Amino acid sequence: MTSTFTGNHGLQIEEPLIFELDTPGLSGTDWPEASTETSYLNGLERVQIGLPGLSEPMVVRHYTRLSQKNYSIDTGLYPLGSCTMKHNPRLNEKVARFFGDLHPLQPVTTLQGALAVIHSLAEWLTRLTGMAGVALSPAAGAHGELCGIMAIRKALEARNEHRPIILVPESAHGTNPATAAACGFQVRTIPAAEDGRVDLPALLSQINDEVAGIMLTNPNTCGLFERDIIDIAEAIHKAGAYFYCDGANFNAIVGKTRPADLGIDCMHINLHKTFSTPHGGGGPGSGPVVLSERLIQYAPLPYVIRTEKGFDLIESYDQAPASLGRIKGFHGQMGMLTRALAFMMSHGRDGLKQVAEDAVLNANYILARLKDHLSPAFVGSCMHEALFDDTFLDETKVSTLDFAKAMIDQGYHPMTMYFPLVVSGALLMEPTESESKRSLDEFCDTLIHLAQQAKSGNTELFIQAPQLAPRRRLDETRAARHPKLRWVKEVKV
Ligand SMILES: *Cc1c(COP(=O)(O)O)cnc(C)c1O
């Protein structure tokens, strides 16, 4: 392969591990000869610990090359649906570092600024959601789910009721059933209707006094608004159960709709999806949980309150006897709380509303441009992400996986594949609000080109892909099951 549609070429510099670059004795600094005396080391002996020897430029080149192997939102459009890889304004990074020198165990009188930030963020989140309060300590969306379901479990205990079942729609993110099961509930799956939303009659038939609650995502993971949400909330409440909403997709409705008005009892918000903060690759995350009047007393410790003398912390059961306890050391991810507040304040209320509108507009632009070339999973418009199935690849011998791999050769990170599971060979694309029309057009042109190539029988382009990446197709399952976490020097014989 010599040319590509985009003109992009994968980066193919082979970069060994830094240990494999070792030249024993080489160093970027002239160290004095190490003393061999053990007396002042309290009898301990110096040993070689096997650090590799490299000059400074070798180290710089090694790490710079590694950094260039990363695909990131700073290098290109990152269409991963459900993950919401959005631009993180640089201002937020600067502001997040203001609190880097504080320690959470300092006396609260010396932490007033930090507590003011936490308190102010809590106000923004409760205002935007219409809820009674918010727990800011959960460290990720999944952790927020745990917090919310623990609050529901507490509330049921207080009512002295045994309700073993949590209802979860089949399009849900895997963390939903996992959370319910981790909290000791049985998961009952609710099928999806033809239009990608919860099958309301099927749901209603499952609601009874054994049900503790429902975990519903809205907009759901098919990128669709659950139209029946008010009916669902009413039916759930009438049965004495609780309504947990997975708010990972809050970025599609922020400033437009308040979860409280939809009848939600608790909902986590992924700050790293809705209110900036770069994520992926394992961290950091932050999953505040907003709680209704019915659940607020079970909120985890600690939390910040405002008194006449300034800000203070509620940290013990004496002050909050119904609390579900601590679920995280200290107050959560301070850097992320700060980034989120900076994001909100710089956008303002009108700006946040526009974030939701532009995210939905961009996704619908992609859907409209691709709908005659790929195959939309559902009829009609979408919310913040556009979902396609693999019927456009029928009779092409190209699979969703092959199609995604071919995108890498064109310089794009693939979209989310094979999720949600309710759609065959799913391709889920989420552009976010900050992509320009130009970048959306380049992306759509590329996908249209690839779809045409697949349909015209150019299978090689896909089956061989990626050809221009530093690595081709890896055995991802084996990598996950048998990770090599330690470098062991090969002994030459
Ligand atoms: C991302 C996501 C989660 C999990 O959030 P984490 O922060 O990754 O733990 C849960 N539900 C949905 C719908 C999501 O998109």
Side-chain angles (χ1 to χ4, degrees), residues 81-84 139-145 171-176 217-221 246-249 268-273 279 284-287 384-385 419 430:
S82 196
C83 297
T84 315
H143 199 204
E145 292 173 33
S171 70
H173 196 272
T175 49
N176 291 188
T217 309
N218 199 25
N220 68 21
T221 53
D246 179 328
N249 298 331
H268 78 263
I269 297 168
N270 303 56
L271 293 188
H272 49 289
K273 293 178 183 173
H279 65 109
S286 182
H384 59 299
E385 49 198 354
F419 178 83
E430 179 172 6

Side-chain angles (χ1 to χ4, degrees), residues 93-116:
E93 284 305 308
K94 189 170 176 185
V95 175
R97 278 158 183 72
F98 289 169
F99 299 101
D101 293 336
L102 296 182
H103 193 282
L105 286 180
Q106 281 175 227
V108 289
T109 50
T110 68
L111 293 172
Q112 289 295 303
L115 298 186

Side-chain angles (χ1 to χ4, degrees), residues 106-232:
Q106 281 175 227
V108 289
T109 50
T110 68
L111 293 172
Q112 289 295 303
L115 298 186
V117 164
I118 296 175
H119 194 261
S120 180
L121 177 67
E123 280 185 337
W124 273 87
L125 288 173
T126 49
R127 193 76 76 81
L128 285 168
T129 56
M131 304 289 271
V134 58
L136 289 173
S137 56
H143 199 204
E145 292 173 33
L146 182 72
C147 173
I149 297 298
M150 283 171 75
I152 290 174
R153 197 171 61 183
K154 269 260 171 197
L156 289 170
E157 276 167 23
R159 282 162 47 183
N160 214 357
E161 278 181 50
H162 178 64
R163 290 174 173 250
I165 294 166
I166 297 263
L167 305 174
V168 181
E170 70 179 344
S171 70
H173 196 272
T175 49
N176 291 188
T179 299
C183 289
F185 292 101
Q186 295 160 29
V187 176
R188 193 138 313 154
T189 308
I190 307 296
E194 274 291 291
D195 66 356
R197 291 155 178 101
V198 170
D199 184 333
L200 188 61
L203 169 63
L204 296 178
S205 73
Q206 295 281 346
I207 298 181
N208 54 42
D209 60 9
E210 296 250 278
V211 172
I214 186 171
M215 295 181 85
L216 182 81
T217 309
N218 199 25
N220 68 21
T221 53
C222 297
L224 303 168
F225 195 85
E226 292 286 355
R227 283 189 215 107
D228 297 323
I229 190 159
I230 301 278
D231 294 339
I232 293 172

